């Protein structure tokens, strides 16, 4: 999707290291008022199906590297931005209780290698679903998939919608990406339409 106005400075490519519709739409919506061309490419995370703790940042970093290699292999030489998003689970203490939280790590990298890193707001996960996923093996199953097995109304790739405050995963991603887009604009990395 090319969002640049005719006769203006050309749009900058934003390469999303995923073919997930949720991630692509989040990037498109967050950067809708900027001169960008969103390109999706399948990028490998090289980690377990359910990332845990620091593995989440590793997965996002791996997606950045893979997406960059694929994009540069097409011969593009202009400025570009890379976006990688990796959801993971984090074991934390909240109000004195041990809980599992879902957060996405979002990395935006400029064509000259400068990285901006953000995290989405956390979502409290059902401990019993985390325990089942852990027992079955995080390398093969996600907590969202277990939640969808337990309750057929839950979407495995968007369990956030079924958990308080009942906000879709895409909205969490958009909020973080909008903040990052503002920072990129302030740093003169992107321009509004």
């Amino acid at each position: 999707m090319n969002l640049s106005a005719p006769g203006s400075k050309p749009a900058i490519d934003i390469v999303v290291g995923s073919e997930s519709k949720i991630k692509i739409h989040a990037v498109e919506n967050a950067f809708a008022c900027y001169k960008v061309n969103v390109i999706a490419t399948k990028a490998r995370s090289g980690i377990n199906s359910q990332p845990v703790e620091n593995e989440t940042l590793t997965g996002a970093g791996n997606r950045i590297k893979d997406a960059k290699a694929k994009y540069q292999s097409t011969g593009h030489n202009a400025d570009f931005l890379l976006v990688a998003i990796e959801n993971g689970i984090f074991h934390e203490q909240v109000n004195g209780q041990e809980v599992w939280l879902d957060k996405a790590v979002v990395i935006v990298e400029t064509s000259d290698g400068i990285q901006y890193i953000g995290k989405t707001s956390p979502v409290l996960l059902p401990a019993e679903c985390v325990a089942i996923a852990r027992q079955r093996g995080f390398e093969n199953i996600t907590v969202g998939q277990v939640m969808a097995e337990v309750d057929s109304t839950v979407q495995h790739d968007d369990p956030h919608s079924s958990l308080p405050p009942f906000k879709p995963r895409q909205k969490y991603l958009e909020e973080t990406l909008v903040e990052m887009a503002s920072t990129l604009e302030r740093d003169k990395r992107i321009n509004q339409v």
Side-chain angles (χ1 to χ4, degrees), residues 21-183:
K21 290 187 186 319
I22 290 171
K23 293 176 183 180
I24 295 165
H25 291 314
V27 171
E28 288 173 341
N29 291 344
F31 288 89
C33 64
Y34 297 97
K35 299 176 191 175
V36 299
N37 182 37
V38 177
I39 301 167
T41 186
K42 187 175 180 128
R44 294 175 314 226
S45 68
I47 57 172
N48 288 327
S49 292
Q50 179 59 75
V52 180
E53 306 286 349
N54 291 335
E55 186 181 19
T56 312
L57 179 61
T58 300
N62 290 344
R63 286 184 190 275
I64 284 284
K65 290 174 193 164
D66 195 37
K68 186 175 191 174
K70 287 179 178 177
Y71 181 73
Q72 289 180 323
S73 73
T74 63
H76 288 85
N77 293 322
D79 286 340
F80 59 88
L81 296 173
L82 300 159
V83 176
I85 299 167
E86 191 72 48
N87 273 79
I89 61 173
F90 298 81
H91 191 235
E92 297 183 15
Q93 283 223 355
V94 176
N95 299 327
Q97 287 189 306
E98 301 274 329
V99 296
W100 284 96
L101 302 173
D102 178 281
K103 298 183 224 176
V105 171
V106 180
I107 301 176
V108 177
E109 182 174 304
T110 63
S111 52
D112 57 354
I114 296 171
Q115 287 191 347
Y116 297 78
I117 300 174
K119 282 187 182 173
T120 60
S121 298
V123 177
L124 181 63
L125 295 169
E128 62 276 7
C129 292
V130 175
I132 292 168
R134 172 186 268 159
Q135 181 182 25
R136 290 171 60 186
F138 288 142
E139 62 275 357
N140 299 315
I141 194 160
T142 66
V143 175
Q145 289 169 318
V146 170
M147 289 175 63
E149 290 173 5
V150 171
D151 180 350
S152 63
T153 64
V154 174
Q155 288 181 269
H156 76 88
D157 61 345
D158 186 14
H160 306 70
S161 294
S162 63
L163 297 167
F166 308 105
K167 184 167 59 172
R169 179 179 178 212
Q170 182 176 319
K171 290 295 178 195
Y172 285 96
L173 297 174
E174 284 177 23
E175 290 168 357
T176 300
L177 285 160
V178 163
E179 288 177 20
M180 296 175 88
S182 293
T183 302

